[in-house]
Amino acid sequence: MQGPKFDGRQRAVVQRVRPEVDGGRFPIKRTIGEAVVVEADAFADGHDQLRCNLRYRRRGEAEWTEVPMQPLGNDRWRGSFTVEQLGRYEYGVLAWVDHFRSWRRDLARRTDPADIATALQLGAGLIEKGAARAGDEDAPLLRAWALSLTGDAPIEQRLKAALDESSASLMDKYPDRRFVTLYAHTLEVTVDPVRARFSAWYEAFPRSCTDEPGGHGSFRDCESRLAYVAEMGFDVLYLPPVHPIGRVNRKGRNNNLVAGPDEPGSPWAIGAEEGGHLGIHPELGTLKDFRSLVARAATLGIEIALDIAFQCAPDHPWVREHPAWFRWRPDGTVQFAENPPKRYEDIYPFDFESEEWWALWQELRGVFEFWIEQGVSIFRVDNPHTKAFPFWEWVIGELKREHPQTIFLAEAFTRPAVLHYLAKLGFSQSYNYFPWRNTKPEITGYLTELSRSEGREYLRPSLWPNTPDILPEYLQFGGRPAFMIRLILAATLGASYGIYGPPFELFENEPLRPGSEEYLNSEKYQIRSWDLLRQDTLKDLIARINHIRRENPALQYDWNLRFLPIDNEEMICYAKSSEDLDNIILVVVNLDPYHTQSGWVELPLEEFGLEAGHPYQMHDLLSDARYLWHGARNYVELVPQEVPAHIFRLRKRVRSERDFDYYM
Amino acid sequence: MQGPKFDGRQRAVVQRVRPEVDGGRFPIKRTIGEAVVVEADAFADGHDQLRCNLRYRRRGEAEWTEVPMQPLGNDRWRGSFTVEQLGRYEYGVLAWVDHFRSWRRDLARRTDPADIATALQLGAGLIEKGAARAGDEDAPLLRAWALSLTGDAPIEQRLKAALDESSASLMDKYPDRRFVTLYAHTLEVTVDPVRARFSAWYEAFPRSCTDEPGGHGSFRDCESRLAYVAEMGFDVLYLPPVHPIGRVNRKGRNNNLVAGPDEPGSPWAIGAEEGGHLGIHPELGTLKDFRSLVARAATLGIEIALDIAFQCAPDHPWVREHPAWFRWRPDGTVQFAENPPKRYEDIYPFDFESEEWWALWQELRGVFEFWIEQGVSIFRVDNPHTKAFPFWEWVIGELKREHPQTIFLAEAFTRPAVLHYLAKLGFSQSYNYFPWRNTKPEITGYLTELSRSEGREYLRPSLWPNTPDILPEYLQFGGRPAFMIRLILAATLGASYGIYGPPFELFENEPLRPGSEEYLNSEKYQIRSWDLLRQDTLKDLIARINHIRRENPALQYDWNLRFLPIDNEEMICYAKSSEDLDNIILVVVNLDPYHTQSGWVELPLEEFGLEAGHPYQMHDLLSDARYLWHGARNYVELVPQEVPAHIFRLRKRVRSERDFDYYM
């Protein structure tokens, strides 16, 4: 029989550490300043006392910081740490049997004097060993303590000395950790900027950003448009691709297979003789203009987000320079994108099984690097689920190692497993099924899943009521109220949301054809001119809502969402609150864009810190109206043609005669 | 930038493989002949067709066997294999993008002739490559097929050839697996004998197995008693420790601190000058007698299970021979078992933090090996949660490697996390909280948890209504009916169960004192003499129930348990069925040992394969009575003083006039 390769004396067990994604295969995500609350099972055989610590460090640091975990009962422990810097942190859990604490617990229970005397002697020995582990300062204190347990003093006196609290705390500093058990996995946290968790996005086509009808908007026009975006209170202005647009097989308006000579084509058909993914479409301006736009936006608190679409138009320079990056057909042509019998001949996908995949990966990484150098740190990635998954894990990992401020939004409108997997791989935010969740059970079920299930540790949803690809049926038929409803839902259900404008604020709702979710006269294929000054624009409502989001911390987090009962299936009610209950937001929405609806909402008074008998004030932050409510059940009525929602801030303190200056 | 250490072209993803315990850290458990049904997420980027295989092998084999998994939708796949031999199996999941299948799917959708022609050329190339991977027999067939896709034949003809099913199946045999993705963990299955899943245990003190009043029973007496145990239909006769009993600090009757000179002491105080864990208590007989008992039991289909209690009486030879295996107190004495202020001075626990822990482990392993040599393969392990956990994983792992027929029952009456952890470490069966689950919600909740939650993959419950340590309150007050109720519950809710007799069949119900769950005059501390011939013994009922268990496969599994509605809180109804629905057992129990109860049970007719309009027969296997039932809701009334339960076998076929010989 061979000798052992392990120390069998590690009696403590650590298991079921949470949060943990796929056994530690993927990191969880947090934003700067957030807490990482960790739980674990920790126990040992028998009745000995256990100590259990959480440890953490920034990646690359040699030293761990340890914090004690507290027992929750049933062998479950909890501890937490706060992530203070961008980048990757590591954490783990460790536990060990603490003979000193076991001894002390037992000592307090002993009754037989002979037994106590023996135990005191044993304890003195344990403390002596602690002294040997202690520093110069504490060792003499511990030795003196050990001495006081033995010797000639009366046993009651020695027992009292042994049970001294502060000496025990001193001893706790020098535990015997020879047989410490470390949890099998080192777990990781990606720490992102706050905007990865809390952000309001506005998507707009720069070429439509001109007031000159029929003209081609430029980055300079975009600069002028920044004030408009800032007035609405957005954090992020996201631009579809800004690169030269291919001429070969260019699409015409409304996705026509043939483009007229003056048609601009789709910005997603990237690359022409003027350049590829590092180039700028000449009519938009120059790289200098782009940098100027980024800088100007920054002064308004807006970040420019770029679209990263890894595909090429047939005349992209890479097709000529790197033929091995594409799949070639037996007829000597490059394989275009297709889903037979549909053909997308203006687009060549990359072949991620290319022999030269490593060179391709590096070049694609270089695209991100280039735009990061131009001041961009937010990227919206087009159809990531049609590019090889190992590439995303590698490229986001590499980029965030160098540039931990970067944020990646996955356009992951795909099957659930794939949507989740992309988030695990590193995407900071994810598009999701929100556009297709419109009824009360759909919204309740889906948002509960997003905010409560284990996936929340790595998947941050971004809620979009529309995109250039998606004009949902609900918006097509519900008129202006439908847009208000979906806006309010997106902006208050989700800490991150976005709209594609100006079609959104101008409630553009005509589809390409009945049954389609494509826009008629979509900006994807043509330049549009928008009347931003229309009286009925939703601009002011948007501004109001973004203001409310900024003022109320409860709306800046996803996990605190909680649905509340309301006795009308056309109405939905939910609350978000800060941990200290200082900021409690209650949202009631009429989901029916056609009819006035009313109902009784039911509040969990006690959980909101409200006393049953006292009135409280509901301050509607949308209308600025204030309502005095009383008790758990209260009546709400909403007219969709006016404002189809209340966004209440609950104000617990209602003044009474006792507050009057001369009352006492 | 360094070159990559991986191949980025592995585009398939395999994740969330189930069953999997703690990321593969622990094996799942099955018994011989059972299926291992495996599910996994498998997907790749884009729209390519995927293939996903389950692979398995016995531990130590070089070759894997692969079976295709079938898609369940939403990127979930399922496959299975059957474990045919005892020991350890390994399994894993792998997936790859199959360009041939993708090509074929797309080809069937293509409509443009030029497009089809190009695709046929491409396909011919894929098939040529397949031919290069194929064996001598199939390669020419594939080459011929490839040729038929190109050439001068009309395109319709070539397309038809390309879509030929049997050729495609041939090609499927030679996939391009260069970029196969293997799931990150190799998972394991422990394959146990059927008795690990399905067994009926009878525990009895051999020293009480004599018909001579006041005498000390021996193994020879036990041999005579075997017929009695076999008549009741038990598979396993479990004996408390059979070793020499310590004399130092020996306990007297009713746990008295002082034993009289003729008192026999507790069999769990193991070891005296006559020997230790390898010895036999002289009054029980010799090792030869023990072997004879084991052999005789085998002829009756009974296995002898031994109690393994790793602790020593003060006069155990190991205390003298291996002082380092114990903890010594400052007063020069060995630390006895204690939970201050309680002292158990007749017991010395081992010190699993001993410097000589490795020698201790080997010696303890040797104890198992010794008894395995005597023909024992079932061990009931006393208080495993007070011995170091790493020891159990090691010792059970080593023993089962050499002796895969062994079964270990953990006396794990401890906290949930520890109970589960011991099962993960390797124990084949586990005592559990069944003795304290008596009401309908308690039973429903607990048995649902045991049979449905993930823990079932490694934890096999053994249900005991009583043990020498536990006379539950329910049995103390419910009289004979309570014993019948608990017996029927244990034997039909659980595939494995046991009773401690003769106190059980003679419904001994007096506690040591009010509020205690200890037996008065417990056999743990004294020899008892039992009147096995009493008229009112439950022996016949036990025999009947064990017979029913053997005849009905549905009762031999745990996972098929399903609770059914019955509109009386004092009654419980549940069903177990074989997978083919050939054997459906419905149990209705009156949980109230005092009063007659009645209620309406509700059957899921469709799921049991019953037609709504047809009557069906309920055959009560306890009373042999047969009832004609009709529809989902049927009435049941149970008198506890008679038999407090029905164990129905559902017989779908009711004869009608059409079955009459001369009807047609």
Side-chain angles (χ1 to χ4, degrees):
Chain A
M1 195 179 297
Q2 279 202 311
K5 296 198 181 74
F6 57 95
D7 195 322
R9 295 174 292 178
Q10 291 181 5
R11 292 170 46 215
V13 172
V14 180
Q15 63 163 9
R16 298 208 309 124
V17 175
R18 299 287 178 278
E20 172 185 274
V21 182
D22 293 359
R25 167 74 179 79
F26 300 105
I28 63 163
K29 298 194 178 93
R30 291 293 185 276
T31 55
I32 213 161
E34 275 189 300
V36 179
V37 180
V38 177
E39 288 192 10
D41 283 354
F43 51 83
D45 60 281
H47 309 288
D48 285 331
Q49 290 280 91
L50 206 71
R51 282 172 73 180
C52 183
N53 279 2
L54 168 64
R55 68 177 197 174
Y56 66 96
R57 66 180 176 192
R58 292 197 71 211
R59 181 164 63 180
E61 282 178 358
E63 296 300 317
W64 293 92
T65 303
E66 289 192 16
V67 290
M69 297 177 79
Q70 305 304 323
L72 303 174
N74 250 331
D75 300 306
R76 198 81 183 146
W77 298 69
R78 184 187 290 154
S80 75
F81 64 98
T82 301
V83 286
E84 308 277 12
Q85 292 180 71
L86 293 179
R88 201 64 85 87
Y89 278 68
E90 299 173 330
Y91 63 100
V93 173
L94 45 103
W96 68 94
V97 169
D98 189 311
H99 289 292
F100 169 73
R101 285 201 183 177
S102 306
W103 165 80
R104 194 168 176 281
R105 178 203 56 195
D106 288 351
L107 182 65
R109 295 179 186 165
R110 292 185 194 278
T111 49
D112 177 60
D115 201 28
I116 293 172
T118 308
L120 287 171
Q121 229 179 319
L122 186 77
L126 290 172
I127 297 164
E128 284 287 355
K129 283 184 189 157
R133 291 186 296 266
D136 288 346
E137 197 178 333
D138 292 337
L141 295 171
L142 288 172
R143 290 213 174 86
W145 187 36
L147 268 179
S148 73
L149 267 58
T150 51
D152 297 332
I155 194 153
E156 297 77 17
Q157 193 178 321
R158 288 188 282 138
L159 179 61
K160 197 177 162 216
L163 294 173
D164 178 59
E165 281 282 355
S166 68
S167 303
S169 302
L170 189 65
M171 183 68 184
D172 277 346
K173 287 169 64 183
Y174 307 102
D176 176 4
R177 293 174 46 137
R178 281 179 301 156
F179 306 133
V180 107
T181 298
L182 180 63
Y183 181 58
H185 309 143
T186 294
L187 305 172
E188 295 190 302
V189 198
T190 296
V191 183
D192 291 317
V194 170
R195 272 187 186 162
R197 186 195 73 235
F198 169 57
S199 55
W201 291 46
Y202 187 76
E203 174 176 6
F205 283 79
R207 67 189 183 188
S208 294
C209 284
T210 170
D211 298 326
E212 180 199 334
H216 191 295
S218 69
F219 289 143
R220 292 197 182 188
D221 297 316
C222 288
E223 269 192 56
S224 312
R225 188 60 57 84
L226 282 171
Y228 172 78
V229 177
E231 279 161 24
M232 286 190 286
F234 286 103
D235 313 303
V236 178
L237 171 59
Y238 147 47
L239 310 179
V242 297
H243 316 298
I245 294 171
R247 290 181 186 83
V248 177
N249 297 329
R250 177 179 284 191
K251 292 280 180 72
R253 56 184 57 192
N254 288 316
N255 202 16
N256 206 311
L257 276 182
V258 185
D262 57 346
E263 290 199 75
S266 160
W268 282 275
I270 295 169
E273 63 186 77
E274 294 88 350
H277 285 76
L278 307 188
I280 284 186
H281 189 67
E283 288 175 277
L284 287 174
T286 64
L287 198 55
K288 196 174 155 217
D289 294 339
F290 178 76
R291 295 176 71 123
S292 166
L293 170 64
V294 169
R296 178 85 187 98
T299 66
L300 296 166
I302 293 174
E303 278 196 70
I304 300 295
L306 277 195
D307 192 303
I308 296 292
F310 282 143
Q311 55 196 23
C312 295
D315 37 341
H316 192 297
W318 282 343
V319 178
R320 202 177 59 244
E321 294 163 10
H322 300 284
W325 291 353
F326 303 89
R327 198 166 279 167
W328 291 78
R329 310 208 304 166
D331 63 358
T333 61
V334 175
Q335 178 64 61
F336 44 83
E338 62 168 357
N339 190 7
K342 289 188 199 159
R343 303 153 66 107
Y344 309 95
E345 294 180 69
D346 59 334
I347 299 290
Y348 289 174
F350 292 111
D351 176 11
F352 280 87
E353 289 185 14
S354 165
E355 295 281 336
E356 294 180 17
W357 64 272
W358 183 236
L360 170 64
W361 283 24
Q362 290 172 80
E363 188 75 24
L364 298 182
R365 172 187 170 163
V367 171
F368 284 108
E369 294 279 7
F370 177 84
W371 293 107
I372 291 169
E373 274 166 37
Q374 313 313 317
V376 176
S377 61
I378 305 186
F379 299 95
R380 178 272 194 192
V381 176
D382 190 76
N383 279 338
H385 52 289
T386 60
K387 285 90 196 170
F389 298 118
F391 167 70
W392 292 123
E393 183 169 26
W394 172 81
V395 78
I396 295 175
E398 294 290 309
L399 291 168
K400 287 195 71 83
R401 186 187 294 269
E402 299 290 316
H403 314 285
Q405 78 282 9
T406 46
I407 291 174
F408 301 85
L409 167 62
E411 190 213 20
F413 290 125
T414 175
R415 307 182 304 280
V418 180
L419 166 61
H420 273 260
Y421 194 67
L422 287 163
K424 288 180 185 176
L425 291 177
F427 282 94
S428 327
Q429 296 190 348
S430 305
Y431 285 11
N432 50 71
Y433 312 136
F434 175 74
W436 300 279
R437 298 292 181 271
N438 294 286
T439 65
K440 181 173 177 170
E442 282 170 355
I443 294 167
T444 308
Y446 191 55
L447 269 295
T448 300
E449 179 193 323
L450 287 175
S451 60
R452 292 290 164 93
S453 65
E454 282 188 22
R456 73 183 193 175
E457 297 290 351
Y458 56 82
L459 190 150
R460 295 195 193 98
S462 181
L463 308 184
W464 289 68
N466 75 329
T467 77
D469 295 316
I470 307 169
L471 171 64
E473 211 172 9
Y474 186 88
L475 294 181
Q476 294 178 25
F477 294 105
R480 192 173 181 274
F483 283 78
M484 289 194 281
I485 290 165
R486 295 297 292 174
L487 171 72
I488 291 166
L489 288 171
T492 58
L493 286 167
S496 285
Y497 86 106
I499 58 170
Y500 154 52
F504 192 89
E505 62 266 28
L506 301 181
F507 41 96
E508 173 101 345
N509 67 355
E510 209 166 341
L512 181 58
R513 64 185 112 75
S516 166
E517 287 185 337
E518 285 283 345
Y519 278 93
L520 179 68
N521 301 326
S522 167
E523 286 186 296
K524 289 195 289 188
Y525 309 106
Q526 68 190 82
I527 295 169
R528 293 284 300 271
S529 156
W530 303 102
D531 177 6
L532 303 180
L533 303 176
R534 264 168 57 184
Q535 274 296 327
D536 55 358
T537 174
L538 295 173
K539 183 190 167 204
D540 289 348
L541 178 68
I542 294 168
R544 182 92 198 146
I545 288 169
N546 281 332
H547 178 76
I548 293 169
R549 284 166 47 89
R550 288 194 182 178
E551 295 289 307
N552 291 279
L555 294 173
Q556 299 169 11
Y557 293 83
D558 280 330
W559 297 6
N560 57 356
L561 175 65
R562 163 179 189 162
F563 290 93
L564 299 176
I566 179 165
D567 60 353
N568 179 332
E569 278 310 286
E570 298 290 337
M571 301 181 84
I572 196 165
C573 177
Y574 47 92
K576 285 188 161 193
S577 48
S578 60
E579 260 179 63
D580 59 5
L581 295 183
D582 193 49
N583 186 244
I584 301 178
I585 299 294
L586 186 90
V587 182
V588 188
V589 184
N590 176 0
L591 299 174
D592 174 359
Y594 308 104
H595 309 98
T596 298
Q597 297 284 350
S598 61
W600 290 81
V601 301
E602 202 172 321
L603 266 62
L605 297 185
E606 201 174 332
E607 290 168 42
F608 285 165
L610 295 169
E611 285 173 63
H614 288 240
Y616 49 95
Q617 194 192 77
M618 296 302 271
H619 179 190
D620 186 351
L621 304 175
L622 282 173
S623 67
D624 209 30
R626 290 166 193 254
Y627 302 81
L628 261 192
W629 280 14
H630 203 105
R633 283 171 62 85
N634 288 276
Y635 179 81
V636 172
E637 181 174 302
L638 290 162
V639 182
Q641 291 75 19
E642 294 167 11
V643 180
H646 291 301
I647 303 179
F648 289 122
R649 172 153 186 204
L650 191 158
R651 299 190 187 274
K652 298 176 194 174
R653 191 82 175 84
V654 172
R655 292 182 72 89
S656 79
E657 69 278 14
R658 290 163 199 272
D659 299 310
F660 186 59
D661 277 350
Y662 303 106
Y663 178 79
M664 299 218 320
Chain B
M1 195 178 299
Q2 278 203 309
K5 296 199 181 73
F6 56 94
D7 195 322
R9 294 174 293 178
Q10 292 181 1
R11 293 167 48 214
V13 172
V14 180
Q15 62 163 10
R16 299 209 308 124
V17 175
R18 298 290 178 275
E20 173 186 273
V21 182
D22 293 359
R25 166 74 179 79
F26 299 105
I28 63 163
K29 297 192 180 93
R30 291 292 184 277
T31 55
I32 212 161
E34 275 189 301
V36 180
V37 179
V38 177
E39 287 192 11
D41 284 354
F43 51 83
D45 60 280
H47 308 289
D48 285 331
Q49 291 280 93
L50 205 72
R51 281 171 73 181
C52 183
N53 280 1
L54 168 63
R55 69 177 196 173
Y56 65 96
R57 65 178 175 192
R58 293 197 69 209
R59 181 164 66 180
E61 283 179 358
E63 296 301 316
W64 293 92
T65 303
E66 288 192 16
V67 290
M69 297 177 78
Q70 305 304 324
L72 303 175
N74 251 332
D75 300 306
R76 197 82 182 144
W77 299 69
R78 183 188 289 154
S80 74
F81 64 99
T82 301
V83 287
E84 308 278 11
Q85 292 179 72
L86 293 179
R88 201 65 86 86
Y89 279 67
E90 299 174 330
Y91 61 101
V93 173
L94 45 102
W96 69 94
V97 169
D98 188 311
H99 290 293
F100 169 73
R101 285 200 184 178
S102 305
W103 165 80
R104 196 167 174 281
R105 177 202 56 195
D106 287 352
L107 182 65
R109 294 179 185 166
R110 291 186 193 279
T111 48
D112 178 59
D115 203 27
I116 292 172
T118 308
L120 287 170
Q121 230 179 319
L122 188 77
L126 290 173
I127 297 164
E128 285 285 357
K129 283 184 189 156
R133 290 187 295 268
D136 288 347
E137 197 179 333
D138 291 336
L141 295 171
L142 289 172
R143 290 214 174 85
W145 186 36
L147 270 179
S148 73
L149 268 58
T150 51
D152 298 332
I155 195 154
E156 297 77 16
Q157 193 179 321
R158 288 189 283 137
L159 178 60
K160 198 177 159 214
L163 295 174
D164 177 60
E165 281 282 356
S166 67
S167 303
S169 302
L170 188 66
M171 183 68 183
D172 277 347
K173 287 170 63 183
Y174 307 102
D176 177 3
R177 294 175 44 139
R178 281 178 302 157
F179 306 134
V180 101
T181 299
L182 180 61
Y183 181 57
H185 309 144
T186 294
L187 305 173
E188 296 189 301
V189 198
T190 296
V191 184
D192 291 317
V194 170
R195 273 189 185 158
R197 184 196 75 236
F198 169 56
S199 56
W201 291 45
Y202 186 76
E203 174 176 6
F205 283 79
R207 68 191 184 188
S208 296
C209 284
T210 171
D211 298 325
E212 181 199 335
H216 192 294
S218 68
F219 288 145
R220 292 196 182 188
D221 297 315
C222 289
E223 268 193 58
S224 312
R225 187 62 55 86
L226 283 171
Y228 172 79
V229 178
E231 278 162 26
M232 287 190 287
F234 287 102
D235 312 303
V236 179
L237 171 59
Y238 147 46
L239 311 178
V242 297
H243 316 300
I245 295 171
R247 290 182 185 83
V248 177
N249 296 328
R250 177 179 284 190
K251 291 281 180 72
R253 54 185 59 195
N254 288 316
N255 204 14
N256 207 312
L257 277 182
V258 185
D262 57 347
E263 290 198 75
S266 159
W268 282 274
I270 295 169
E273 62 186 78
E274 295 87 350
H277 285 75
L278 308 188
I280 284 186
H281 190 65
E283 288 175 277
L284 287 174
T286 65
L287 198 56
K288 197 176 155 216
D289 295 339
F290 178 76
R291 295 174 73 124
S292 166
L293 171 65
V294 169
R296 176 84 188 103
T299 66
L300 295 167
I302 293 173
E303 278 196 69
I304 299 295
L306 277 196
D307 191 303
I308 296 292
F310 281 143
Q311 56 195 22
C312 295
D315 36 341
H316 192 298
W318 283 344
V319 179
R320 200 177 59 242
E321 294 163 9
H322 301 284
W325 291 354
F326 302 89
R327 198 166 280 166
W328 290 79
R329 309 207 305 166
D331 63 358
T333 62
V334 175
Q335 178 64 61
F336 45 81
E338 62 169 358
N339 189 8
K342 288 188 199 158
R343 304 154 67 108
Y344 309 95
E345 294 181 67
D346 58 334
I347 300 289
Y348 289 174
F350 292 111
D351 177 11
F352 280 87
E353 289 185 13
S354 164
E355 295 282 337
E356 297 180 15
W357 63 272
W358 183 236
L360 170 63
W361 283 26
Q362 289 172 81
E363 188 75 24
L364 298 182
R365 172 188 170 161
V367 172
F368 284 108
E369 295 278 8
F370 177 82
W371 293 106
I372 291 169
E373 276 166 37
Q374 312 314 317
V376 176
S377 61
I378 305 186
F379 299 95
R380 177 271 194 192
V381 176
D382 190 76
N383 279 337
H385 53 289
T386 60
K387 285 90 197 170
F389 298 118
F391 167 69
W392 291 123
E393 183 170 27
W394 173 82
V395 78
I396 295 175
E398 294 290 308
L399 290 170
K400 286 194 73 82
R401 187 187 293 269
E402 299 290 316
H403 315 285
Q405 78 281 10
T406 47
I407 291 174
F408 301 85
L409 166 63
E411 192 214 18
F413 289 125
T414 175
R415 308 182 303 279
V418 180
L419 167 60
H420 274 258
Y421 194 68
L422 287 164
K424 288 180 185 176
L425 291 178
F427 282 94
S428 327
Q429 297 191 347
S430 305
Y431 284 11
N432 50 73
Y433 311 137
F434 174 73
W436 300 278
R437 299 293 180 271
N438 293 289
T439 65
K440 181 172 176 170
E442 282 170 355
I443 293 167
T444 308
Y446 190 55
L447 270 294
T448 300
E449 179 194 324
L450 288 175
S451 61
R452 293 289 164 93
S453 65
E454 283 189 22
R456 71 182 194 174
E457 298 290 352
Y458 57 83
L459 189 150
R460 296 196 194 98
S462 180
L463 308 185
W464 289 68
N466 76 327
T467 77
D469 295 315
I470 307 168
L471 170 64
E473 211 172 10
Y474 185 87
L475 294 182
Q476 293 178 26
F477 294 106
R480 192 172 181 274
F483 283 78
M484 289 194 281
I485 290 165
R486 295 298 291 173
L487 171 73
I488 291 165
L489 289 171
T492 59
L493 286 167
S496 287
Y497 87 107
I499 58 170
Y500 154 52
F504 192 87
E505 64 265 28
L506 301 181
F507 42 96
E508 173 102 347
N509 67 355
E510 210 167 338
L512 181 59
R513 66 185 108 75
S516 166
E517 287 186 337
E518 286 281 345
Y519 278 92
L520 179 67
N521 302 325
S522 168
E523 285 187 295
K524 290 195 288 188
Y525 309 106
Q526 67 190 82
I527 295 170
R528 294 284 300 271
S529 156
W530 302 101
D531 178 7
L532 303 181
L533 303 176
R534 261 168 60 184
Q535 274 297 327
D536 55 357
T537 173
L538 295 173
K539 185 191 167 206
D540 290 348
L541 179 67
I542 294 168
R544 182 92 198 148
I545 289 169
N546 281 331
H547 177 76
I548 293 169
R549 284 165 47 89
R550 289 194 180 177
E551 294 289 307
N552 290 278
L555 294 173
Q556 299 170 10
Y557 294 83
D558 279 330
W559 297 7
N560 57 355
L561 177 65
R562 166 183 187 161
F563 290 92
L564 299 176
I566 180 165
D567 60 353
N568 179 333
E569 279 309 287
E570 297 291 338
M571 301 181 83
I572 195 164
C573 176
Y574 47 91
K576 285 188 160 190
S577 48
S578 60
E579 261 180 61
D580 59 6
L581 295 184
D582 192 50
N583 187 244
I584 301 177
I585 298 294
L586 186 91
V587 183
V588 189
V589 184
N590 175 1
L591 299 173
D592 174 358
Y594 308 104
H595 309 99
T596 298
Q597 297 283 349
S598 61
W600 290 81
V601 301
E602 203 172 320
L603 266 63
L605 297 186
E606 202 174 333
E607 290 169 42
F608 285 163
L610 295 170
E611 285 173 65
H614 288 240
Y616 49 96
Q617 194 193 82
M618 296 301 270
H619 178 191
D620 187 350
L621 305 175
L622 282 174
S623 67
D624 208 30
R626 289 162 195 258
Y627 302 80
L628 262 194
W629 280 14
H630 202 107
R633 282 171 62 83
N634 288 276
Y635 179 79
V636 172
E637 182 174 302
L638 290 163
V639 182
Q641 291 74 18
E642 295 166 12
V643 180
H646 291 300
I647 303 179
F648 288 122
R649 173 153 184 204
L650 192 156
R651 298 188 186 275
K652 298 175 195 175
R653 190 84 175 81
V654 172
R655 292 181 73 91
S656 80
E657 69 278 15
R658 288 161 202 272
D659 300 308
F660 186 60
D661 278 349
Y662 302 106
Y663 180 78
M664 296 216 324

